Amino acid sequence: MTNPATAPPGTAAQPERARAEQPWLMRLRASFDPIIRRELAAVGVQPGQRVLDVGAGDGTITAHLAELVGPGGSVAAVDTDTRLLNPTHIIDVYQRNLAGERLPGDPGSFDVINARCLQQLPRPADVLKQLISLLRPGGWLVLGELTYAPPMVYRANDEADAALVNNVMHDMIATIIGFDGHLNWVNDAPPWLLDGGMDHVCTVQRTETWTGGGPGCALLAGAARDLRDALLQEGFTDAQLDQFADLMTSPNLLLRSLQFGAVHARRADT
């Protein structure tokens, strides 16, 4: 079990099962969809535009983009696993390994690009360069990612319960995000974007409070259940993980949610 007060990022186990699209992970992605929708509204996706959706997942944002561009537009949805993506007369689906394969489209061919789940790539800055090259001058790029923020428990039954929630969340976040990747690359993105010829760069970091018994804490309980083997390897006991699950149902618990970072920027006209 790592101590979040002293252990640097990079200490938690990262089994392949942590990367799978398990139900709790899909719910986690969906919980951040409203933030992405607000970013897309800020850049003003228009009917008839060509849009690229990278890291499309289960296709909820892809479907939203298809509604925005309408029958006169198109959406290219890209992911390493495309089993949950459905092509339509508006949506084209592409399976790509972003760590080594080129994205679909010609340079300057997209009006808007939305991208998520780049933090586990070895060189996210290289993918950003490719995304920028695919944008037409004046086109918009929207980036979003679950980012690391130290767990914060505002209220619990006692200090021991608060410490347990804090420790489990720390190691759980490490496993979900993958500390071998670029954990806070969204925070590094603004200078990369400016260097790449983008302007109107705007960043947002979003958290909220989650209460025991609510949907956010239920999501954390599901994550801890599916990541139980990894957490046991980190030194937690079955009894501690059972107690964590119970605490996630306690109305006396109040904690900071997981953090989501978003950036939007425009490719300069020149």
Side-chain angles (χ1 to χ4, degrees):
M1 174 170 44
T2 58
N3 181 352
T6 59
T11 55
Q14 298 167 70
E16 285 302 317
R17 65 177 303 205
R19 311 284 177 87
E21 288 291 311
Q22 300 176 34
W24 65 266
L25 187 53
M26 293 174 63
R27 290 196 297 272
L28 175 62
R29 288 171 62 102
S31 71
F32 295 123
D33 279 0
I35 302 173
I36 295 295
R37 288 173 180 251
R38 284 195 290 271
E39 293 297 301
L40 293 170
V43 306
V45 181
Q46 300 298 316
Q49 288 186 324
R50 294 192 64 196
V51 179
L52 176 64
D53 188 22
V54 180
D58 61 357
T60 54
I61 292 297
T62 304
H64 177 63
L65 288 166
E67 293 177 357
L68 294 176
V69 302
S74 65
V75 179
V78 181
D79 210 313
T80 55
D81 184 347
T82 59
R83 287 174 293 178
L84 298 178
L85 297 173
N86 298 312
T88 69
H89 64 287
I90 299 175
I91 300 170
D92 294 315
V93 175
Y94 300 87
Q95 186 172 11
R96 293 288 192 277
N97 179 357
L98 296 183
E101 295 181 327
R102 298 290 298 178
L103 292 166
D106 297 322
S109 61
F110 291 104
D111 300 290
V112 177
I113 297 177
N114 175 66
R116 289 191 284 182
C117 300
L118 304 184
Q119 82 267 42
Q120 292 171 355
L121 298 175
R123 293 180 299 275
D126 290 347
V127 178
L128 280 185
K129 291 178 182 177
Q130 188 180 167
L131 295 175
I132 292 171
S133 73
L134 292 172
L135 275 175
R136 66 166 178 79
W140 287 92
L141 176 62
V142 175
L143 306 170
E145 201 73 83
L146 181 67
T147 60
Y148 181 78
M152 182 175 293
V153 179
Y154 299 109
R155 186 182 65 191
N157 294 323
D158 51 43
E159 291 185 3
D161 284 351
L164 176 63
V165 171
N166 186 73
N167 289 335
V168 172
M169 283 189 65
H170 174 82
D171 281 16
M172 189 163 57
I173 295 169
T175 304
I176 292 171
I177 299 179
F179 277 138
D180 60 339
H182 294 259
L183 186 60
N184 286 317
W185 74 268
V186 168
N187 297 329
D188 297 328
W192 295 344
L193 294 170
L194 292 170
D195 290 343
M198 304 291 284
D199 59 19
H200 296 278
V201 178
C202 178
T203 64
V204 175
Q205 296 288 345
R206 170 78 177 183
T207 62
E208 59 188 17
T209 52
W210 285 351
T211 304
C217 287
L219 189 152
L220 293 175
R225 180 177 60 251
D226 286 340
L227 298 173
R228 192 179 187 95
D229 290 345
L231 294 172
L232 289 171
Q233 291 176 14
E234 287 301 307
F236 293 102
T237 66
D238 283 309
Q240 286 175 318
L241 296 181
D242 290 342
Q243 183 182 358
F244 178 83
D246 289 340
L247 289 171
M248 291 301 105
T249 67
S250 170
N252 196 45
L253 179 69
L254 186 68
L255 51 82
R256 181 168 63 186
S257 71
L258 303 180
Q259 180 173 273
F260 192 82
V263 184
H264 67 255
R266 189 193 69 165
R267 183 173 179 182
D269 291 325
T270 55

